[in-house]
Amino acid sequence: MLEKGAIAPDFELNATPDQKIKLKDFKGKNVILAFYPADWSPVCSDQMALYNEMLKYFNKYDAQIFGVSVDSVWCHLAFEENRKLHFPLLADFEPKGAVSKAYGVYDEELGESKRALFVIDKEGKIAWSYLSPIAVNPGADGILEALEELDKK
């Protein structure tokens, strides 16, 4: 898993069938990457719902959050609509888990992303990372603390 101080690997992933998100397009803004195992699982549903409620706090720190899993873009769209999520979910679908692997958070045995968080600063460096037990919602405290630290600089 990539640690604090590492350069965040760039990527390009689909948020919708015709919209790709490139990390490099967010230079100058703090970015939160929330890798998670699967849409629709109970813990993932709770975790993404929490981040949806936290958007105003993330915005306060000029941060954009993206959820990332190996689910397809169609699965993400159905999940976003059903859960009324207001932030993009990115499909690390093909090649399966390539971005998760680049960040060191791909579970080869289960074939899905691990539950991991990254806060990336405005210059593209990882300011904070956390690997959560798979069955535990990591919450948002660590994210907010990392964003507060970045805000002090």
Side-chain angles (χ1 to χ4, degrees):
M1 177 177 187
L2 295 178
E3 300 286 339
K4 180 178 179 176
I7 300 295
D10 194 27
F11 60 78
E12 181 176 311
L13 292 174
N14 280 81
T16 69
D18 56 0
Q19 180 193 21
K20 290 185 181 263
I21 300 287
K22 296 177 188 172
L23 179 62
K24 68 181 179 185
D25 290 345
F26 288 84
K27 272 219 169 135
K29 192 169 183 76
N30 296 313
V31 172
I32 303 158
L33 297 180
F35 289 87
Y36 63 99
D39 293 340
W40 308 104
S41 79
V43 177
C44 297
S45 295
D46 289 348
Q47 183 184 6
M48 294 304 118
L50 171 65
Y51 298 155
N52 203 45
E53 296 299 318
M54 299 296 296
L55 289 176
K56 66 181 172 189
Y57 298 102
F58 298 155
N59 288 336
K60 177 181 162 193
Y61 293 105
D62 195 25
Q64 171 67 51
I65 185 167
F66 297 104
V68 183
S69 81
V70 299
D71 293 298
S72 74
V73 67
W74 297 109
C75 188
H76 280 331
L77 288 174
F79 183 62
E80 286 173 16
E81 184 178 320
N82 181 273
R83 305 300 169 151
K84 300 180 179 19
L85 300 178
H86 299 288
F87 63 92
L89 301 179
L90 305 179
D92 194 9
F93 184 69
E94 185 60 39
K96 186 177 181 182
V99 174
S100 300
K101 290 173 187 171
Y103 281 78
V105 294
Y106 184 74
D107 188 323
E108 295 282 350
E109 189 174 314
L110 297 175
E112 59 191 28
S113 303
K114 295 178 181 177
R115 193 175 310 283
L117 301 170
F118 293 88
V119 173
I120 300 168
D121 70 15
K122 295 177 180 184
E123 286 79 44
K125 280 189 182 173
I126 294 172
W128 177 79
S129 61
Y130 177 73
L131 181 63
S132 176
I134 202 84
V136 176
N137 180 344
D141 290 350
I143 295 170
L144 290 175
E145 288 171 14
L147 291 172
E148 286 172 7
E149 282 299 312
L150 288 174
D151 201 42
K152 290 178 186 172
K153 290 181 180 179

